[in-house]
């Protein structure tokens, strides 16, 4: 990463080329949705953001140069990819709203099914991403962005090291789309396998949540595989 004149850093890949820039809907304007909106607009993508509170979406759009939509259905209408960045408990209702609108689209599940205690999952033998795929049968669900804390999502570099961006899904073209988004933001993309592997990615995230809660860490660390990976 190299510094810009305003002190921010840009990834070595630079901004998205005109032929690779995408129309992306971000559902959720909280910490995760805000970070991803900032990162994606910075790298040249056309982002539309929406939130339960329209004022939150409008404020984020004003800060980042994104557009704001009144509803999730409006946000995804012309989007090529949709990022779900809401609490896990809100995904079932959201899926009901979006079911027909996301047919054929890439849907990126950035949620974590946090249970009643830090590190405990609200799901058991199947991941939240798989449940979301069941609820959106026409979409191509890919798990991604869930293993990195919001503080690092717009600029995924810690102590000069690019964090690993794990992703999992069953549709290869959708996975390639997500890989390109991860790389453009500055992650090292790591293909974790089919969507069933999302359960492991959610547990990886929940472990980090538990570690930070238990030890009073700063919620800015991230996962990185070291050693030969090719």
């Amino acid at each position: 990463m190299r510094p810009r004149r305003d002190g921010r850093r840009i990834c070595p890949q630079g901004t998205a080329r005109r032929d690779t820039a995408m129309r992306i809907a971000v559902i959720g304007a909280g910490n995760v949705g805000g970070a991803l909106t900032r990162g994606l607009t910075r790298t040249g993508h056309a982002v539309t953001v929406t939130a339960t509170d329209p004022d939150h979406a409008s404020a984020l759009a004003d800060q980042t140069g994104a557009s704001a939509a009144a509803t999730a259905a409006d946000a995804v209408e012309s989007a090529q990819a949709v990022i779900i960045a809401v609490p896990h408990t809100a995904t079932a209702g959201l899926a009901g709203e979006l079911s027909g609108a996301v047919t054929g689209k890439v849907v990126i599940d950035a949620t974590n099914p946090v249970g009643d205690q830090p590190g405990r999952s609200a799901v058991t033998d199947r991941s939240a991403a798989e449940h979301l795929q069941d609820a959106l049968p026409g979409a191509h669900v890919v798990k991604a962005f869930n293993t990195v804390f919001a503080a690092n999502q717009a600029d995924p570099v810690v102590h000069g090291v690019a964090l690993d961006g794990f992703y999992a899904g069953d549709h290869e073209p959708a996975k390639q789309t997500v890989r390109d988004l991860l790389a453009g933001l500055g992650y090292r993309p790591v293909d974790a396998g089919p969507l069933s592997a999302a359960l492991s990615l959610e547990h990886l995230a929940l472990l980090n949540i538990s570690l930070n809660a238990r030890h009073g860490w700063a919620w800015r660390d991230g996962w990185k595989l070291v050693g030969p990976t090719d």
Side-chain angles (χ1 to χ4, degrees), residues 40 63 120 171:
L40 291 166
Q63 294 166 9
R120 180 170 295 179
H171 186 263

Side-chain angles (χ1 to χ4, degrees), residues 22-26 46 48 74-82 101 105-106:
M22 296 184 65
R23 299 185 304 277
I24 302 171
V26 176
T48 300
D74 290 340
V76 306
E77 183 176 3
S78 63
Q80 297 166 285
V82 179
K105 296 180 187 289
V106 179

Side-chain angles (χ1 to χ4, degrees), residues 15-203:
T15 56
R17 300 193 314 270
R18 183 170 298 178
D19 61 338
T20 61
M22 296 184 65
R23 299 185 304 277
I24 302 171
V26 176
I27 314 299
N31 291 338
V32 173
L36 290 174
T37 297
R38 287 190 292 275
L40 291 166
T41 54
R42 173 177 58 81
T43 50
H45 299 286
V47 178
T48 300
V49 62
T50 188
T52 303
D53 186 337
D55 290 340
H56 289 172
S58 295
L60 179 59
D62 289 343
Q63 294 166 9
T64 60
S67 300
T71 69
D74 290 340
V76 306
E77 183 176 3
S78 63
Q80 297 166 285
V82 179
I83 299 178
I84 307 297
V86 299
H88 169 68
T89 52
T91 56
L94 181 62
E97 182 180 352
L98 295 181
S99 183
V102 295
T103 298
K105 296 180 187 289
V106 179
V107 174
I108 303 168
D109 177 20
T111 72
N112 281 310
V114 179
D116 56 0
Q117 296 179 21
R120 180 170 295 179
S121 178
V123 298
T124 54
D125 59 327
R126 297 181 76 235
S127 67
E130 290 171 283
H131 288 293
L132 183 62
Q133 181 68 85
D134 290 345
L136 301 173
H140 306 303
V141 174
V142 178
K143 192 77 180 187
F145 296 113
N146 73 299
T147 59
V148 177
F149 290 134
N152 296 329
Q153 282 177 335
D155 186 8
V157 175
V158 176
H159 299 312
V161 177
L163 296 179
D164 288 338
F166 298 98
Y167 61 101
D170 293 332
H171 186 263
E172 288 303 323
K175 290 175 70 175
Q176 184 60 53
T177 294
V178 174
R179 177 185 177 86
D180 291 345
L181 290 176
L182 287 163
L185 286 171
Y187 293 88
R188 182 181 71 162
V190 178
D191 186 347
L195 194 61
S196 58
L199 186 64
S200 296
L201 299 187
E202 290 168 4
H203 287 162

